[in-house]
Every structure is written in structure tokens, then in C-alpha cells.
Amino acid sequence: MRRTDERVGFPAMSGAAWGNGSVRRARVRGCLLGGAIGDALGNPVEFLSLAGIRRAHGEQGVRGLTAEEDGVTGRITDDTQMTLFTAEGLIRAHSRAMAKGIGGAETAVIRHAYLRWLDTQNHPAPPARGGEDLVRTGWLREQPWLYARRAPGNACLTGLTDGHTPDPRAPLGRPGPVNTDSKGCGTVMRSAPFGLTGGPADESFGLAARCAQITHGHPTGAYAAGALAAVVAHLLEGDSLPGAVLRAMELLARHPGHQETSAALRAAFELAGRGAPSAEKVESLGAGWVAEEALAIAVYCALVLPRADQVGEALLLSVNHSGDSDSTGAVCGNLLGAHHGDVHLPPSWLVRTEGRAVIAEVADDLSLEFEHAVEWPAGRYPGC
């Protein structure tokens, strides 16, 4: 075991500060697995209108995991793929900082993780072992099921080829140099793990926002990613869903140019207090193709159906609309899973979700790294 009381480059967290470790680990697993379930629910209907969804599945829309045209059920998309590589990047960045005694390379290490994801989009299978550079190694990249294109966003693909590593100390609110006008939901759908490290919400917010600018330059894309990370960080600490959202909004308000993201969250929060949920209310928040709309839809669905026995209904609400159903479902699942833990995820959906064993393993590794700073077996999370 490495020492855990003097971490460099990440917020100091003693074992005691993690409180009930089993509860936290359940929330970390719940966040990643819940996101995957929501992703899989929304995947088959992502490009359908609400009317089209109802024609295909009945007036109530999708009521569970449905098969795609090739008969496969429970298939995840690039949303879950990139979320896993975000988590892997966080593990490797923290492990590197502990081993070398220096921090400050988090945005570079996260970008390297996204380059490993990009390899899964550009190659049919994992490479043969031997001869890879450090950036291109690690056990997650060797999972064959991740080598599949599931309609990844263009900004994510093109942004990673640009070579930009955001300055971890740069002030927020300025347009980034990569895809400067893009605020697509590719920033927010991958950013929940930034809130799962056990550190302060404002630091989770900042790192998520800066890493969003690896691929998307619009400040709203960065702020939406940061806001999700902050909400997740508060939920990990045991806050309520309304409390976590309000605290994230308070944090947002400190930053220049926050208004677009703040307005979307405010609209979601107020809408949740206006009676019974409906697909039409979801659609009043937008379609979810851009970051602040995807976040708002997910937040609304989590707030309006917040109880543990309503997780399934909330996830269904988050995907039955005309828009980016898999991304809104994924983010809603991140929130509900972080709040309730994996034990309250619908088991009949969980067991059919693609890659669930690997997703749970990454979640547990994330908890272990930030709780205990373990020594990993050679090659599992090499420093880069």
C-alpha cells in the first residue's frame, strides 16, 4: 500500500473522510452502472422522434431494454465507452501522481485515456501485445467488446486528433481552441467520474470543465460537464438530489459566462416542481444534443422521480423524447446511481447491459485507488 495522507495533485482524503466505504463504493458502482443502463435504454431510440417512439413501442413509449435491428439487447454506446476511459484516466493520473510525487498532469493523462478510446473507434480489435507506447497500453483498452463505433460525436473524434491539452491552471469561461463553437453533449455524457474521487466538488467541477475542452471549445460545454461532476460529488457525500443540484448551481454562478448552463439547470429544477412528469415536459427542456440540454433533461428526470423505487421510471422518462435519448439516459443513470447506489438499479436491466462486469470492475478500481492508493499489478494502470 502507498501512503494515503499526502496525495499530490489531488485533494487530500484520509480513509476516515470517506465515511462508510461500502456505501461510497456502492454509489460509485451505481453511478457507472446506472449510466450504462440509461445509455442502453436510449440507444435504440436515439434518432427517433417522440411520435416515432410511440408508434414503435406504444403510447407510453419504451418500457424497458429493447432489441436493435440486429436483435441485440442492452448494447451501450460511446457515452459509456468514454465514461469508462474517463474513470481509467483518473485512476492512472492519481496513481502516477502518487508514484512520482508530483501532480498537475491530470488533463494530459485524461487526454491520453481518450486517445485509447479513439483507438477503439478506429481499429476492429485490440492490438497485439508488445511494442506499444505507454499511452497505448492498459487493460481497459484490451477489452474486445469496446471495439465498436456507436455513433460517436464528431467533435469527440476530431477534437482528439488536434493534440490540445488544456492548461490545468487556466481560468474557466474562455473559449477553447479546439472546436471552439461546439458545446455538444459529448462533454457532459463522459464526465460523471470526475465527481467520484472523493474530493471537493469545486475541484471536481474544475477538472471536468477543463478536460471537456480537450474536444469541445464552447464554455457552456465545459460548464455543463463541470456541473454534472459537482452534482455527483455532492451525491457521493450523501446529499439529496435537490441539494446537490442547488449547490452545483451556486458553484456555477461563481464563473464568468455561466448563464446558459445555469438557466438550463434552473429550468429543470423549477419544472420538477410543477406536477406529474411527462414526455412533453421533458421536451420543453430541449432535445439533449447540446450539453446544457442533456444535463437539464437528466436532472429534471432525476428530480421529478427521486425515490429509490422510482429509478426505473425516471430512466424511462429520460429516454422517451425526441432527441439524444442515450446521452440523457446515461446522465440520468449517473445521477440516480450515485444517489441510490447499485443495489437500487433495476436488476432485470442490469443483467442484460453490455459490459456490466467490466464497468463494475472499473468502478471498484476507481474507489480503491482514491480510498487506498493501491499498488496495481504491472500493466494494469501504467503511468503516462
Side-chain angles (χ1 to χ4, degrees):
M1 295 284 184
R2 297 196 292 268
R3 293 186 63 185
T4 61
D5 57 342
E6 295 179 357
R7 301 183 182 188
V8 181
F10 284 86
M13 288 292 294
S14 67
W18 275 76
N20 188 327
S22 62
V23 172
R24 282 180 172 271
R25 286 189 289 274
R27 287 178 174 153
V28 174
R29 285 196 302 271
C31 183
L32 297 193
L33 289 168
I37 292 173
D39 187 16
L41 284 169
N43 182 21
V45 297
E46 177 183 7
F47 299 106
L48 296 180
S49 67
L50 178 59
I53 293 172
R54 287 172 170 169
R55 282 194 300 270
H57 300 282
E59 189 59 28
Q60 290 186 302
V62 171
R63 298 303 299 164
L65 292 176
T66 58
E68 297 183 57
E69 291 182 0
D70 59 2
V72 176
T73 299
R75 181 179 281 154
I76 57 91
T77 77
D78 60 307
D79 298 35
T80 299
Q81 292 173 343
M82 292 199 77
T83 297
L84 288 173
F85 280 98
T86 299
E88 188 225 30
L90 287 165
I91 293 168
R92 289 172 71 152
H94 186 263
S95 181
R96 177 187 186 277
M98 289 297 301
K100 296 187 176 182
I102 54 173
E106 293 82 14
T107 55
V109 178
I110 295 296
R111 180 176 176 272
H112 294 164
Y114 294 154
L115 289 175
R116 289 188 289 278
W117 168 77
L118 187 63
D119 283 344
T120 71
Q121 305 301 289
N122 291 333
H123 301 285
R129 290 197 179 198
E132 306 99 331
D133 62 61
L134 191 61
V135 172
R136 294 299 204 268
T137 59
W139 79 281
L140 186 61
R141 185 173 174 265
E142 295 174 358
Q143 303 302 311
W145 64 278
L146 287 172
Y147 284 74
R149 275 209 178 199
R150 306 282 169 76
N154 186 59
C156 290
L157 295 172
T158 62
L160 287 170
T161 65
D162 191 274
H164 174 62
T165 299
D167 183 344
R169 298 168 299 279
L172 297 173
R174 300 174 182 173
V178 179
N179 294 319
T180 300
D181 295 326
S182 179
K183 57 173 182 173
C185 67
T187 61
V188 69
M189 58 77 165
R190 70 196 193 210
S191 291
F194 292 106
L196 297 175
T197 65
D202 61 338
E203 298 198 16
S204 297
F205 177 99
L207 184 56
R210 290 181 176 91
C211 287
Q213 293 195 318
I214 294 170
T215 54
H216 295 67
H218 196 292
T220 294
Y223 283 148
L228 173 62
V231 174
V232 169
H234 288 304
L235 293 174
L236 189 69
E237 294 298 325
D239 207 345
S240 67
L241 278 163
V245 174
L246 287 171
R247 284 169 175 78
M249 291 171 66
E250 291 173 356
L251 179 57
L252 259 176
R254 303 175 194 170
H255 297 281
H258 69 90
Q259 288 81 1
E260 195 169 39
T261 310
S262 292
L265 282 174
R266 189 179 308 110
F269 196 93
E270 293 174 354
L271 187 63
R274 297 179 190 157
S278 70
E280 288 73 20
K281 288 182 178 178
V282 169
E283 294 205 331
S284 74
L285 297 169
W289 299 112
V290 292
E292 78 276 16
E293 291 181 3
L295 179 61
I297 289 171
V299 164
Y300 165 72
C301 295
L303 286 173
V304 78
L305 292 166
R307 300 197 313 266
D309 62 350
Q310 295 175 316
V311 168
E313 285 301 316
L315 287 172
L316 292 172
L317 181 68
S318 73
V319 303
N320 279 296
H321 63 88
S322 307
D324 198 349
S325 296
D326 61 325
S327 294
T328 55
V331 177
C332 184
N334 292 147
L335 295 171
L336 293 168
H339 184 45
H340 296 298
D342 62 331
V343 70
H344 291 293
L345 299 176
S348 62
W349 297 348
L350 179 59
V351 298
R352 298 165 69 192
T353 298
E354 182 183 25
R356 69 182 178 91
V358 170
I359 297 167
E361 191 171 358
V362 171
D364 287 344
D365 285 358
L366 185 65
S367 295
L368 286 168
E369 175 60 37
F370 281 89
E371 187 172 356
H372 299 294
V374 299
E375 294 282 2
W376 297 106
R380 187 167 179 84
Y381 295 112
C384 64

